[in-house]
Amino acid sequence: MARPGTVAGKTVGDVGEFGLIDIIKEIVPVSDPRLVVGIGDDSAALRQSAGLLMLSTCDIQVEGRHFRREHISARQLGRRSAAINLSDIAAMGGRPLYALVSLALPRETLVSWVQDLYEGLAEETAEVGSAVIGGNLSGASEGIVIDITFLGEVEEGRMLRRSGARPGDAVLVTGAVGASTVGRLALERGLDRARPDVAYVVAAHLTPTPRVREGAVIAASRRATAMIDVSDGLAGDIGHICEASNAGVRLFAGRVPMDPQTVAVAQGLGIDPLHAALHGGEDYELLFTCPPEDAEAVSQEVRKETGTPVTEIGVMTEGPQRTLALPDGGEQQLTAGGWDHFVGANERS
Amino acid sequence: MARPGTVAGKTVGDVGEFGLIDIIKEIVPVSDPRLVVGIGDDSAALRQSAGLLMLSTCDIQVEGRHFRREHISARQLGRRSAAINLSDIAAMGGRPLYALVSLALPRETLVSWVQDLYEGLAEETAEVGSAVIGGNLSGASEGIVIDITFLGEVEEGRMLRRSGARPGDAVLVTGAVGASTVGRLALERGLDRARPDVAYVVAAHLTPTPRVREGAVIAASRRATAMIDVSDGLAGDIGHICEASNAGVRLFAGRVPMDPQTVAVAQGLGIDPLHAALHGGEDYELLFTCPPEDAEAVSQEVRKETGTPVTEIGVMTEGPQRTLALPDGGEQQLTAGGWDHFVGANERS
């Protein structure tokens, strides 16, 4: 995208809030008859559609806590910030519509950095037919903060919640898990990002792919009973389904899908890839349940429509036990122990 | 509100993300047939209404930049954070519906502080018939960050934008302006908050009243042509209307409504109260335009329905000049010079 040469080297303090709004408007223009007011008024305004549910979700990313500028480019951060929210819309079976972006920026932030961020946001949202329609710009004393609210919609009868799983239902997951956590650890320990397997897991961490089309196919199949995205780790997220559905679960350790790159890098780091998959999180795959007789058909449908594999990894039970069946025939308790945002990674059990 | 004694002295690091969600759920319970999914799933979901526009707006508050915990209590901060967003819905003539709250908290934050914040949020949103329906909790490395997205709605024909003002229209403002900035300066300079006039302006700064009912009356009158809320200062905000409406303006300095407390505290601080009103901002009053022959009727209607006075302070012109007419008959240029979030208060022209 051509950029006005005048911003080279300039900071947000130089161009000011309103100068920055003008620059952002050029990156995220929206023309959609449904959107009556976009960027540049007190609120955005869109026409409502009778019979549909409006979905809304938000997620905050704080510099130093959720990202470090030495590890992630502005464009990647834009993609990632959008993707995390898109994943929450996907997990309800919804279609993403519009994003509102709240940005708090130290005044020495380069305008070009903000442009890159918005280009990443524009790319990621456009890939699934959505767009940035508004937001808020503000100063920050220390690090950058990005908070995105995403609006989406879904037919009421198709929406998938965490609470519909029934004992006997199969537990399925899209794609593969564990890569994001292994990628984060690879970054933190400074592994060589030129190595293909390291590059693979680092990319899985920095720019996860939200399963928007997969979620829509699963919802449209009308076979699924509950769904969630894998943000806290398989163990924690299936735990959320168990709690909301008042059921238990039995996961099969040997069936948890992991990419060879994830396994190789994890082993090099001396960590158990299965532990990363169960307790790491941030994979943004979709974890869902359906009657066992429908599991094969839904899996086929998702693969046919999107190319994404789906794996059956467990079964819902009467509960309340949550167990992990090991390949050697043993069984252990599946502790929730997902990522808890107020407990550091090193303090997790 | 009765609180579980078990949280006394505990931090968010002690109870964890999911413990905190359970505590918050008790403070902001919502039962509304329109809200299909509230707190506790991947997204919130609400039924849409055909023929209405969905409004959305967001605003971020960063500790150390927008607030200091020594100056504002958690409950006040909750009220203020909600009020700022409510004001943006009001400025479109809309009815506020639901808030999504993104919170980033250092792990040593007291749970009781978060409870107080949510009680403030619950109070402020309930006063105008709205509620918190979801959000996101996260850790923070340094200070607290609160980002709120508010959803509202309005009939398409009633919505007021910044862009409808016409030359000759009267410019009106609700309530009084300048108090918030004078209150902020009184706090920063450590004036005695026991003094009634200081207490008044400090309260105006910490817990502004969003003009939701006033905005609805103005929109329902169908006489107004443009509206905005006073967040950047009268000069900056009328400037936004001028730009969007492609017009100029002439404001009458002698008519700008200011409370006697604002004038007294400003004079004690050695600052010009008119300057605070024009360039300070954060008053969250509504600034709007209407044909001159309707000005009196709209003002009366707002006062009758809400008790809030409305003052005619200027006239829109062909432009592009924006001028300030002084009581002595002189005239000066009305410089935009509102609060720019990337430029410190001391650096403003």
Side-chain angles (χ1 to χ4, degrees):
Chain A
M1 181 170 304
R3 288 181 179 179
T6 50
V7 305
K10 287 205 173 158
T11 68
V12 300
D14 294 330
V15 301
E17 179 184 1
F18 303 113
L20 200 53
I21 290 175
D22 288 337
I23 290 166
I24 289 170
K25 270 190 200 167
E26 290 189 15
I27 304 174
V28 288
V30 182
S31 66
D32 175 344
R34 189 167 168 188
L35 185 70
V36 182
V37 181
I39 292 174
D41 214 307
D42 294 290
S43 303
L46 64 137
R47 291 201 176 84
Q48 300 188 46
S49 307
L52 292 178
L53 296 177
M54 178 71 64
L55 301 171
S56 54
T57 182
C58 59
D59 192 88
I60 197 163
Q61 301 274 303
V62 180
E63 184 172 6
R65 178 80 195 191
H66 302 95
F67 66 90
R68 293 178 196 286
R69 275 188 269 176
E70 65 265 32
H71 287 161
I72 189 165
S73 72
R75 194 182 205 106
Q76 287 170 327
L77 184 61
R79 293 200 72 121
R80 178 177 169 79
S81 305
I84 292 173
N85 282 281
L86 287 166
S87 180
D88 277 323
I89 298 292
M92 308 295 284
R95 286 182 300 282
L97 293 172
Y98 301 114
L100 292 164
V101 180
S102 258
L103 259 187
L105 300 167
R107 51 173 301 167
E108 61 275 14
T109 312
L110 286 174
V111 171
S112 61
W113 190 93
V114 182
Q115 289 176 306
D116 287 341
L117 178 85
Y118 267 86
E119 284 173 13
L121 285 167
E123 283 166 12
E124 188 74 29
T125 51
E127 248 172 42
V128 290
S130 60
V132 175
I133 56 160
N136 178 258
L137 287 170
S138 165
S141 18
E142 312 262 335
I144 292 170
V145 182
I146 304 169
D147 188 56
I148 298 184
T149 294
F150 231 107
L151 301 177
E153 66 188 3
V154 66
E155 290 74 20
E156 188 158 356
R158 288 196 186 177
M159 182 173 65
L160 285 167
R161 305 187 53 171
R162 299 176 176 182
S163 53
R166 291 164 300 209
D169 278 357
V171 177
L172 301 98
V173 69
T174 59
V177 287
S180 176
T181 295
V182 173
R184 179 171 56 78
L185 294 171
L187 272 177
E188 286 171 6
R189 304 210 191 152
L191 295 199
D192 178 9
R193 291 169 69 170
R195 267 179 49 193
D197 53 359
V198 173
Y200 179 87
V201 293
V202 165
H205 177 66
L206 296 182
T207 48
T209 304
R211 299 303 196 179
V212 174
R213 288 180 305 142
E214 293 78 356
V217 172
I218 294 164
S221 79
R222 297 181 182 267
R223 299 173 194 263
T225 50
M227 189 152 70
I228 191 170
D229 68 329
V230 182
S231 54
D232 295 326
L234 269 190
D237 291 311
I238 193 65
H240 295 315
I241 287 185
C242 288
E243 272 160 38
S245 300
N246 198 24
V249 74
R250 191 156 183 257
L251 288 191
F252 304 105
R255 294 202 201 157
V256 171
M258 286 178 290
D259 293 315
Q261 297 89 340
T262 303
V263 175
V265 178
Q267 286 171 344
L269 287 165
I271 56 174
D272 177 7
L274 180 64
H275 188 82
L278 291 172
H279 304 289
E282 301 195 289
D283 289 307
Y284 303 107
E285 294 292 350
L286 294 176
L287 180 66
F288 65 101
T289 58
C290 71
E293 62 274 21
D294 294 331
E296 185 58 28
V298 182
S299 303
Q300 298 263 0
E301 220 167 316
V302 172
R303 183 188 276 275
K304 185 171 145 258
E305 297 290 329
T306 69
T308 303
V310 173
T311 311
E312 192 175 336
I313 60 169
V315 59
M316 299 299 294
T317 64
E318 291 285 348
Q321 290 77 23
R322 303 170 198 167
T323 57
L324 184 70
L326 304 172
D328 65 8
E331 192 155 285
Q332 64 183 50
Q333 218 192 318
L334 186 67
T335 51
W339 174 267
D340 188 309
H341 296 290
F342 301 116
V343 183
N346 301 327
E347 298 155 52
R348 280 177 283 161
S349 58
Chain B
M1 180 172 306
R3 290 178 177 182
T6 49
V7 304
K10 287 204 175 161
T11 68
V12 300
D14 294 331
V15 301
E17 180 184 359
F18 302 113
L20 199 54
I21 290 175
D22 288 338
I23 290 166
I24 289 170
K25 270 190 200 165
E26 290 188 16
I27 303 175
V28 288
V30 182
S31 66
D32 175 344
R34 189 167 168 189
L35 185 71
V36 182
V37 181
I39 291 174
D41 214 306
D42 294 290
S43 303
L46 64 137
R47 291 200 176 86
Q48 299 187 45
S49 306
L52 292 179
L53 296 177
M54 177 72 64
L55 301 171
S56 53
T57 183
C58 59
D59 192 89
I60 197 164
Q61 301 274 302
V62 180
E63 184 172 5
R65 178 80 195 191
H66 302 94
F67 66 91
R68 295 179 194 286
R69 274 188 270 176
E70 65 265 31
H71 287 162
I72 190 165
S73 71
R75 193 181 206 108
Q76 287 171 325
L77 184 60
R79 293 200 73 122
R80 178 177 170 77
S81 304
I84 292 173
N85 283 281
L86 287 166
S87 180
D88 277 324
I89 298 292
M92 308 295 284
R95 286 182 299 283
L97 293 171
Y98 301 115
L100 293 164
V101 180
S102 258
L103 259 187
L105 300 166
R107 51 172 302 166
E108 61 276 12
T109 312
L110 286 174
V111 170
S112 61
W113 190 93
V114 182
Q115 288 177 307
D116 287 340
L117 179 84
Y118 267 86
E119 284 174 13
L121 285 168
E123 283 167 11
E124 188 75 27
T125 52
E127 248 172 43
V128 289
S130 60
V132 175
I133 56 160
N136 177 258
L137 287 171
S138 165
S141 18
E142 312 262 335
I144 291 169
V145 182
I146 304 169
D147 188 55
I148 298 185
T149 294
F150 230 105
L151 301 178
E153 66 188 5
V154 64
E155 289 73 19
E156 189 160 354
R158 285 195 187 178
M159 181 172 67
L160 285 167
R161 305 186 54 171
R162 300 176 176 183
S163 54
R166 290 164 300 209
D169 278 357
V171 177
L172 301 98
V173 69
T174 60
V177 286
S180 175
T181 296
V182 173
R184 178 172 58 76
L185 294 171
L187 273 176
E188 285 171 8
R189 304 210 190 153
L191 293 199
D192 178 9
R193 290 169 70 170
R195 264 178 52 191
D197 54 358
V198 173
Y200 179 87
V201 293
V202 165
H205 178 65
L206 296 181
T207 49
T209 304
R211 299 302 197 180
V212 175
R213 288 180 305 142
E214 292 79 357
V217 172
I218 294 164
S221 78
R222 296 181 182 267
R223 298 173 195 263
T225 50
M227 189 152 68
I228 191 171
D229 68 328
V230 182
S231 53
D232 295 326
L234 270 190
D237 291 312
I238 194 65
H240 294 316
I241 287 184
C242 288
E243 271 159 39
S245 301
N246 198 23
V249 75
R250 190 155 184 257
L251 287 191
F252 304 105
R255 294 203 201 157
V256 171
M258 285 179 289
D259 294 315
Q261 296 89 340
T262 303
V263 175
V265 177
Q267 285 171 344
L269 287 165
I271 57 173
D272 176 7
L274 180 64
H275 188 83
L278 290 173
H279 304 288
E282 300 195 291
D283 289 306
Y284 302 108
E285 294 292 350
L286 294 176
L287 180 65
F288 65 101
T289 58
C290 71
E293 62 273 19
D294 293 331
E296 185 58 28
V298 183
S299 302
Q300 298 264 359
E301 221 168 314
V302 173
R303 182 189 276 276
K304 184 172 146 255
E305 297 291 328
T306 69
T308 303
V310 173
T311 310
E312 192 174 336
I313 59 169
V315 60
M316 298 300 292
T317 63
E318 291 287 346
Q321 290 78 23
R322 302 170 197 165
T323 57
L324 184 69
L326 303 172
D328 65 7
E331 194 154 285
Q332 63 184 49
Q333 219 192 321
L334 187 67
T335 52
W339 173 265
D340 188 310
H341 296 291
F342 302 115
V343 183
N346 301 327
E347 297 156 52
R348 280 178 284 160
S349 58

